[in-house]
Amino acid sequence: MKKYIYFWGCQIPARFPFMEKAARVILEKLGIMAEDISGFTCCPEKNMAQNMGDDIWLLTAIRNLALAETAGGEALITPCNGCYATFKSAAHKLSINPPLAIRINKVLQDSGLKYSGRMQVKHIIELLADDIGADVLSRKLSNPLWGMKIAVHYGCHLLRPGEGGGFENPHAPVKLEMLVNALGAGCVDYPSKLFCCGESLGRGCDPSQALDMARRKLL
Amino acid sequence: MRRQGDPFDIPVFHYTELLGLAMGITPKELGLNMHRIKADTFLKDWSQRSSQMELIEEYFDLASLKRCHVCRACENDCPSALNVPKFEPQAIIGRVLEGKLEELLKLPEIWNCVECHTCVELCPQRFGMEKVFTILKRLAVEQNMAPETMKNMIDTFSATSRLGKPQATLSKRLKLPQAKPSGMQEWRELLERFKA
């Protein structure tokens, strides 16, 4: 089996530890063992770190991937959309720019790290949908969610940027809905399904704008 | 008209004079100082605009920006523009093209771009207007004009290498393993080596 490494990011351990719990429990039940390793920093959050310059964002992200690679990892599992998009875009940026990859690796080398580009990054939804499969999940249920109606929110950064991301078609995703259906539940379609939740409006703007945006989704 | 007291002071050019200027011939050689209405104000404005344009070209891809300004294919899908009426992305891009960088860095609306990448996906030239906002925001941070929440975020990240501390009590209650330490020191050293 592939050697998986967990990347929880900052927000899940700080605010939503129950998300970490659920991820650990279900992966263990599905027979996927993943390791925790020391040394990770913030992925870092692109919306913030890019304001500090491209280099800080890129180098920090690649350092995290290199740590996982140096620990013998083959795939990084993250349940966080933000971390997922950061890693996917950073890895993509290096894959299309070999001189940049060489430059970054030169600096990493002095820390005893190496980034070859082999490290896979998997969002946990992607892992469940692509590597395990909805059909396998549907056979593992003891209490299906019959009759329940679920409205899914993919979130911007699971789907976009499509370039370098590759979760699925950013305009017409279906994977999360397939996974929900596999649980026996139904999905409700709603017009603002792919709409942003507004979270980052809380960072540089009047927080009420963020709430207005969230309302647009929930109404 | 002047003798009759009309306040007009608008320089008048023959098209060939403008073409000459644009082709790099000096105002002196063209004899522009012989105009009855002095061309000085025009020349001064022109030189100011040109230097602003150079500044903009330093940060932005001008050709893409111009196409972006007239296209608007993504504007009706920008979640923030739909949600916040005073956030008008194309108007801001227009002001970038006019060289009004300084006033834009102070504008709270530049922080309304949520970097959701919707515009990138819809962009016919794969430019994505969010690029403009990413650059404006970075320049604002560099000039210490970022909103407090963003400043605080950057400070927390710089000081701790993370954006929030793991919640030990809740983790314990959920019987989660203790969070692994971050590699703050190594990360800092790495960034310093990279800068050097």
Side-chain angles (χ1 to χ4, degrees):
Chain A
M1 192 169 67
K2 256 185 215 165
K3 181 160 171 178
Y4 290 106
I5 289 181
Y6 281 128
F7 190 91
W8 300 109
C10 303
Q11 298 303 307
I12 290 175
R15 293 164 70 195
F16 317 114
F18 45 88
M19 280 174 71
E20 178 181 337
K21 179 70 179 184
R24 282 185 192 275
V25 174
I26 58 130
L27 289 187
E28 200 177 312
K29 277 209 170 221
L30 293 167
I32 289 185
M33 301 309 285
E35 265 180 46
D36 289 279
I37 64 166
S38 305
F40 285 144
T41 60
C42 177
C43 62
E45 165 59 44
K46 206 173 165 191
N47 199 329
M48 168 208 55
Q50 276 199 332
N51 296 332
M52 303 164 72
D54 253 354
D55 293 344
I56 291 185
W57 170 73
L58 191 65
L59 189 62
T60 309
I62 297 296
R63 177 185 169 273
N64 282 326
L65 291 178
L67 275 174
E69 189 179 313
T70 310
E74 288 161 279
L76 197 69
I77 304 178
T78 178
C80 171
N81 281 10
C83 300
Y84 177 73
T86 283
F87 290 138
K88 282 285 198 176
S89 332
H92 178 65
K93 210 163 183 177
L94 253 62
S95 75
I96 57 168
N97 190 344
L100 180 66
I102 292 170
R103 218 172 76 222
I104 297 254
N105 263 307
K106 263 194 193 134
V107 194
L108 288 174
Q109 204 177 10
D110 297 333
S111 306
L113 297 172
K114 184 174 175 282
Y115 174 73
S116 71
R118 275 199 309 269
M119 192 73 199
Q120 288 187 325
V121 178
K122 294 265 175 189
H123 192 284
I124 194 159
I125 297 301
E126 191 181 26
L127 179 84
L128 293 172
D130 296 349
D131 296 9
I132 298 175
D135 52 336
V136 174
L137 296 180
S138 68
R139 289 198 296 272
K140 303 230 177 217
L141 312 174
S142 55
N143 304 317
L145 303 178
W146 294 124
M148 300 308 289
K149 291 255 183 247
I150 312 281
V152 301
H153 169 68
Y154 283 85
C156 296
H157 296 143
L158 179 57
L159 301 169
R160 296 183 295 267
E163 187 186 356
F167 173 72
E168 63 175 324
N169 180 348
H171 299 298
V174 291
K175 286 182 184 172
L176 183 55
E177 280 136 301
M178 278 169 64
L179 290 179
V180 171
N181 287 334
L183 305 178
C187 285
V188 250
D189 210 8
Y190 63 111
S192 54
K193 184 172 80 183
L194 299 181
F195 206 76
C196 170
C197 68
E199 194 264 348
S200 35
L201 284 176
R203 290 189 201 142
C205 306
D206 178 357
S208 71
Q209 290 178 353
L211 295 180
D212 283 347
M213 194 110 113
R215 259 180 220 116
R216 194 183 265 267
K217 277 213 78 119
L218 295 173
L219 276 176
Chain B
M1 277 194 286
R2 264 193 180 171
R3 259 180 244 134
Q4 290 172 7
D6 281 322
F8 295 124
D9 196 18
I10 301 170
V12 179
F13 296 94
H14 192 268
Y15 175 76
T16 49
E17 291 176 309
L18 294 178
L19 181 62
L21 285 175
M23 288 172 84
I25 302 167
T26 61
K28 201 177 163 200
E29 192 181 345
L30 290 169
L32 292 188
N33 50 347
M34 296 176 194
H35 280 203
R36 178 160 296 170
I37 300 167
K38 294 288 170 224
D40 298 1
T41 49
F42 176 87
L43 293 173
K44 202 174 136 207
D45 274 3
W46 180 42
S47 113
Q48 256 177 10
R49 297 269 160 92
S50 312
S51 58
Q52 277 165 346
M53 209 35 101
E54 270 167 34
L55 185 71
I56 292 163
E57 269 183 318
E58 196 184 323
Y59 300 113
F60 300 92
D61 169 6
L62 214 55
S64 303
L65 199 64
K66 280 183 187 158
R67 284 192 291 266
C68 176
H69 182 51
V70 292
C71 164
R72 314 176 85 127
C74 62
E75 205 178 25
N76 287 338
D77 286 285
C78 167
S80 219
L82 288 172
N83 199 52
V84 183
K86 63 178 176 177
F87 176 51
E88 293 174 304
Q90 295 304 331
I92 293 178
I93 291 166
R95 270 144 94 186
V96 174
L97 283 169
E98 284 166 15
K100 307 249 164 76
L101 268 192
E102 237 167 85
E103 66 168 71
L104 283 174
L105 299 188
K106 284 182 223 144
L107 195 73
E109 279 79 46
I110 61 170
W111 298 90
N112 270 121
C113 168
V114 289
E115 295 183 39
C116 67
H117 315 314
T118 303
C119 56
V120 183
E121 297 298 340
L122 295 171
C123 183
Q125 56 167 341
R126 297 298 289 173
F127 173 69
M129 63 179 179
E130 70 169 18
K131 220 168 261 146
V132 177
F133 296 98
T134 307
I135 295 168
L136 289 175
K137 286 189 253 183
R138 182 186 309 163
L139 293 174
V141 168
E142 272 171 19
Q143 302 190 14
N144 203 23
M145 290 201 271
E148 283 308 308
T149 37
M150 182 53 68
K151 275 190 206 161
N152 292 341
M153 246 177 121
I154 291 175
D155 288 348
T156 310
F157 174 58
S158 306
T160 67
S161 84
R162 301 181 55 94
L163 290 173
K165 259 195 220 145
Q167 277 222 21
T169 335
L170 286 182
S171 293
K172 223 178 197 174
R173 216 187 295 160
L174 289 163
K175 299 197 180 68
L176 289 171
Q178 205 182 359
K180 298 272 186 196
S182 93
M184 187 173 79
Q185 200 52 40
E186 293 83 0
W187 169 72
R188 273 209 188 130
E189 285 164 17
L190 184 75
L191 289 186
E192 263 157 42
R193 273 209 310 281
F194 190 72
K195 275 181 208 150

